Amino acid sequence: MCGIVGYLGTKERVGLLLEGLKELEYRGYDSAGLALLGEGAPLQVFKTSGKISALEHLVQGVRTQGLGVGIAHTRWATHGKPTQENAHPHVYQHSALVHNGIIENYALLKAQLEQKGHLFSSQTDSEVVVHLFEDMLETTPANNVDQALQVFKNTIAQLEGAYAILLISARFPTCIFYAKNHSPLILATGKEGVYFASAQNALVGHAQQMVRLGEGSVGVLDWQHPIDLNRLGVVQPIAQDCQQSSKEGFSTFMEKEIYEQPKVLSLLGRLCGDRVCLELPEGFLEGISCISISACGTSYHAGLVGKYLIESLARVRVQVELASEYRYANPATQEGELFIAISQSGESADTLEALRLAKALGLKTLSLCNTQNSSMAGMADALLLTHAGLERSVASTKAFASQVLVLWLLALQLAQERHALYPNTLQVQMQALQGSLQAMQEGLEWQSQVRTLSAQILERDLKGYFFMGRGVFYPLALEGALKLKEIAYVHAQGYASAEMKHGPIALADSSLLSTTLLPQHLLFAKNLSNVEELRARDSLIFALSPIKLEEATFQIQTRAYDHYMPEFFHMLVILQLFALEMAQLKGLDVDKPRNLAKSVTVE
Ligand code: AGP
């Protein structure tokens, strides 16, 4: 997703802006640029398609001195291909602008400006805004910053859609105009200046205090008039632990984050003796009649796992909805309904809007989030942080595992409060929790065998990859398929095992690989029947099971556990490693897959 960095002050700006963009690189992008302006220094704009390294090459030897402003941007293409012309900043006459979001009424505004003689150099929606600002300055001249701010506000007032905007203008070389609506934008202060960023990790080492600008924020940073952050929102420290993490010897951030799972998945502080005690407000879980869960992508898969766990353990009805569908579905609700939004980044536009809708409908809301200080973290009635640490790889791994763990704990706490579990059942669950952490560690042991199998699989001329499972292993199959799609770029599809007979099995032949999850403690025999149905039609079988399968073309004979949840976490690691090894063998960019963004802040 697009990344924005801005700075007003006396530090050298080129290095600072580039460093900030690199911290946002993991969000996914396809072009980059920056603009500089200072007292006595003209407006300079540098932008290019491709990686930040190409921008670094472009600005080689460029350095700033003294007081000035700078804005920078990494673009994830929404309108128009990833070209140099479509890269930000967009320039018109004396001004330059960067934007994250979608201006939904840009076509009408663009047509109106073209009728006035404006010529556009890009296909983007964003470029319209800088033209509009300059056009309004024609009709409403601004002789000082306050008048310019009013013109900027009038410009923003004409926009419909989501935006985080920074604009600089040669008329006001020590000012940055900003606007924020449904796309994240942080304003922060540090020793030698004032900063903007899409996410706080871009400012670590520079800024100390930040506010997350609220919806509808419009304003100007003016060096002549120091700002009071307290007037702009809740002031928070920049979390120092979100610094640029190194790969620490791993080949990719994804591999590192897979290996971090046993460490970050901790029960610390969430068990009080043999009872679960999550950090929720007193009585928060009382009187709940049903639960709605809403999320996107991998977080949605975690929600599906949560459904099985909460319904089976706490006997509370759960429905899980894709956030992008929920927000436009005019959902029916009921008295006592709890709405849970799940998001690793806390910035997914669809999930944020689904949560906003749930709040507007009067539902009690809970956020499960991995990013403190994110837009979502402060929106719900209660927040459960998943504490997986900064996840840099676009493909989510440790965040998913921690989401499932927290949902499992939530199911148990609900079950405790509703007296829905016999003491011995609770005891079994506690043992399974502890066993799952160990099972993840043991899943890592399969990496070299997974690499060998991946090479053998890639030698086959396969046209399709199925992933199959039952119960909680059905969303695990969906997640395994998504991992392979997003980093190995293969057509993979997850199914509930029995669903094969209702159509997909028509695709079964020797060019299809069916990765089948056959836990010992959940419907093993039923899964085996589905494997046999596929084998009878020549599909290749990649079996994950502690039980040796004669029918399997390939198998990881997983460790045996005494509960299906340790099997779940054990197989999760293997599926993550499978996607990683397949992508690496294909020579692909594991951490920054094509077309993807780490947090999708547009619809
Ligand atoms: C996960 O591997 C994907 N990158 C993607 O599906 C992601 O889970 C989805 O965009 C939701 O992101 P969020 O959890 O930050 O809201």
Side-chain angles (χ1 to χ4, degrees):
M1 199 42 44
C2 299
I4 286 176
V5 180
Y7 174 67
L8 162 55
T10 54
K11 281 183 176 180
E12 200 289 308
R13 279 159 273 145
V14 175
L16 185 148
L17 293 171
L18 288 172
E19 186 188 328
L21 289 186
K22 286 176 186 171
E23 273 301 295
L24 299 176
E25 225 179 349
Y26 71 95
R27 296 157 65 91
Y29 69 103
D30 39 50
S31 54
L34 61 87
L36 305 165
L37 190 53
E39 285 183 318
L43 178 62
Q44 294 175 281
V45 178
F46 307 90
K47 59 183 188 175
T48 177
S49 60
K51 298 297 183 190
I52 292 168
S53 53
L55 179 61
E56 281 182 306
H57 183 71
L58 210 52
V59 299
Q60 210 162 16
V62 178
R63 286 294 174 270
T64 64
Q65 288 178 336
L67 175 61
V69 295
I71 57 176
H73 187 269
T74 49
R75 176 176 183 251
W76 184 76
T78 54
H79 296 70
K81 290 189 177 304
T83 61
Q84 195 266 353
E85 295 76 16
N86 288 334
H88 300 208
H90 289 291
V91 183
Y92 187 60
Q93 293 179 348
H94 308 285
S95 301
L97 165 139
V98 294
H99 165 235
N100 177 10
I102 290 180
I103 307 299
E104 295 184 344
N105 62 332
Y106 87 97
L108 173 63
L109 295 171
K110 187 169 182 175
Q112 290 167 347
L113 290 162
E114 284 173 331
Q115 280 171 358
K116 292 183 175 181
H118 284 248
L119 298 176
F120 288 84
S121 57
S122 82
Q123 305 158 291
T124 67
D125 54 333
S126 311
E127 188 186 3
V128 166
V129 183
V130 69
H131 280 251
L132 192 58
F133 174 70
E134 287 287 348
D135 183 66
M136 298 194 82
L137 276 173
E138 292 288 315
T139 50
T140 321
N143 301 314
N144 57 47
V145 176
D146 289 342
Q147 290 174 356
L149 175 56
Q150 191 52 57
V151 173
F152 182 68
K153 286 181 174 179
N154 297 343
T155 303
I156 298 302
Q158 296 194 49
L159 308 183
E160 293 169 14
Y163 48 81
I165 285 171
L166 298 181
L167 180 144
I168 57 178
S169 177
R171 297 181 184 82
F172 308 96
T174 60
C175 293
I176 300 181
F177 298 85
Y178 64 88
K180 187 263 188 228
N181 195 44
H182 294 327
S183 287
L185 189 61
I186 283 166
L187 200 166
T189 54
K191 287 187 286 293
E192 297 173 72
V194 192
Y195 305 78
F196 288 97
S198 305
Q200 59 180 309
N201 56 293
L203 302 178
V204 170
H206 293 288
Q208 281 77 39
Q209 300 285 317
M210 62 167 267
V211 294
R212 181 167 296 286
L213 291 172
E215 301 309 347
S217 296
V218 184
V220 62
L221 271 190
D222 173 4
W223 188 255
Q224 315 307 332
H225 299 94
I227 57 162
D228 173 5
L229 280 186
N230 291 291
R231 287 181 43 249
L232 295 170
V234 175
V235 180
Q236 299 164 308
I238 295 269
Q240 296 307 316
D241 64 359
C242 59
Q243 292 217 24
Q244 157 98 14
S245 52
S246 73
K247 292 176 188 152
E248 292 168 9
F250 289 96
S251 61
T252 61
F253 281 113
M254 183 178 178
E255 185 181 36
K256 173 174 175 275
E257 288 153 10
I258 290 171
Y259 273 77
E260 282 178 339
Q261 290 178 122
K263 292 195 294 282
V264 301
L265 257 68
S266 159
L267 298 171
L268 285 182
R270 289 176 158 166
L271 297 184
C272 307
D274 62 354
R275 293 178 65 80
V276 174
C277 50
L278 291 167
E279 58 280 18
L280 290 169
E282 187 66 31
F284 185 78
L285 296 177
E286 287 170 11
I288 288 172
S289 61
C290 67
I291 294 174
S292 294
I293 297 176
S294 200
C296 305
T298 286
S299 297
Y300 170 73
H301 298 156
L304 290 173
V305 179
K307 169 185 170 66
Y308 285 101
L309 296 173
I310 295 169
E311 290 196 345
S312 63
L313 293 170
R315 314 308 295 151
V316 174
R317 185 104 181 84
V318 178
Q319 67 177 40
V320 187
E321 301 263 0
L322 286 168
S324 54
E325 288 299 308
Y326 183 86
R327 62 184 290 199
Y328 295 113
N330 188 17
T333 60
Q334 69 182 64
E335 188 64 32
E337 181 172 342
L338 170 65
F339 181 91
I340 302 177
I342 306 175
S343 175
Q344 187 286 128
S345 63
E347 300 298 351
S348 291
D350 287 319
T351 310
L352 290 176
E353 292 308 317
L355 177 54
R356 281 194 183 94
L357 175 59
K359 286 165 64 78
L361 292 171
L363 300 183
K364 180 186 281 190
T365 55
L366 168 63
S367 289
L368 253 65
C369 188
N370 192 48
T371 310
Q372 200 158 16
N373 301 342
S374 63
S375 300
M376 195 172 96
M379 278 176 66
D381 298 322
L383 168 67
L384 285 176
L385 287 172
T386 46
H387 294 303
L390 178 64
E391 186 175 71
R392 299 187 62 92
S393 182
V394 167
S396 184
T397 51
K398 62 178 183 174
F400 173 76
S402 58
Q403 288 165 346
V404 171
L405 183 68
V406 172
L407 286 163
W408 188 3
L409 291 169
L410 182 66
L412 288 170
Q413 181 153 341
L414 258 173
Q416 285 166 189
E417 296 191 11
R418 301 165 76 95
H419 308 295
L421 283 180
Y422 294 110
N424 66 328
T425 310
L426 189 59
Q427 190 54 36
V428 166
Q429 290 293 318
M430 289 299 166
Q431 286 164 358
L433 276 167
Q434 299 292 355
S436 297
L437 306 187
Q438 181 59 25
M440 295 206 88
Q441 183 65 44
E442 290 160 351
L444 299 170
E445 295 161 4
W446 294 108
Q447 183 166 12
S448 60
Q449 187 171 338
V450 168
R451 182 177 302 125
T452 303
L453 286 183
S454 300
Q456 292 168 357
I457 288 166
L458 284 172
E459 283 166 5
R460 308 282 185 127
D461 179 23
L462 295 175
K463 294 186 177 60
Y465 292 75
F466 279 177
F467 288 76
M468 298 161 47
R470 289 173 182 255
V472 292
F473 294 82
Y474 163 38
L476 183 56
L478 295 176
E479 176 59 13
L482 176 62
K483 288 278 112 23
L484 200 60
K485 269 185 272 212
E486 62 179 327
I487 65 172
Y489 310 160
V490 298
H491 287 279
Q493 189 60 39
Y495 290 101
S497 300
E499 197 55 20
M500 294 307 302
K501 301 185 293 297
H502 303 281
I505 201 165
L507 295 175
D509 62 22
S510 58
S511 70
L512 176 76
L513 178 73
S514 297
T515 301
T516 55
L517 309 178
L518 299 101
Q520 181 178 355
H521 298 290
L522 190 69
L523 300 169
F524 175 80
K526 300 297 180 188
N527 280 315
L528 187 58
S529 303
N530 300 133
V531 167
E532 284 158 357
E533 288 155 6
L534 284 161
R535 277 302 289 143
R537 292 158 180 87
D538 300 328
S539 168
L540 306 184
I541 301 296
F542 175 19
L544 272 62
S545 180
I547 297 161
K548 180 70 180 153
L549 260 67
E550 296 315 316
E551 299 83 350
T553 321
F554 309 99
Q555 179 167 2
I556 296 277
Q557 189 162 355
T558 53
R559 280 181 178 253
Y561 297 97
D562 55 10
H563 190 279
Y564 67 80
M565 283 307 290
E567 294 190 278
F568 175 96
F569 283 98
H570 190 67
M571 291 184 188
L572 167 63
V573 172
I574 295 167
L575 291 176
Q576 293 168 344
L577 292 170
F578 179 42
L580 172 74
E581 294 301 334
M582 292 284 279
Q584 287 187 316
L585 286 167
K586 293 181 74 174
L588 299 172
D589 185 341
V590 167
D591 286 331
K592 294 191 288 296
R594 69 183 183 193
N595 307 339
L596 295 186
K598 182 60 181 172
S599 61
V600 184
T601 58
V602 293
E603 286 198 46

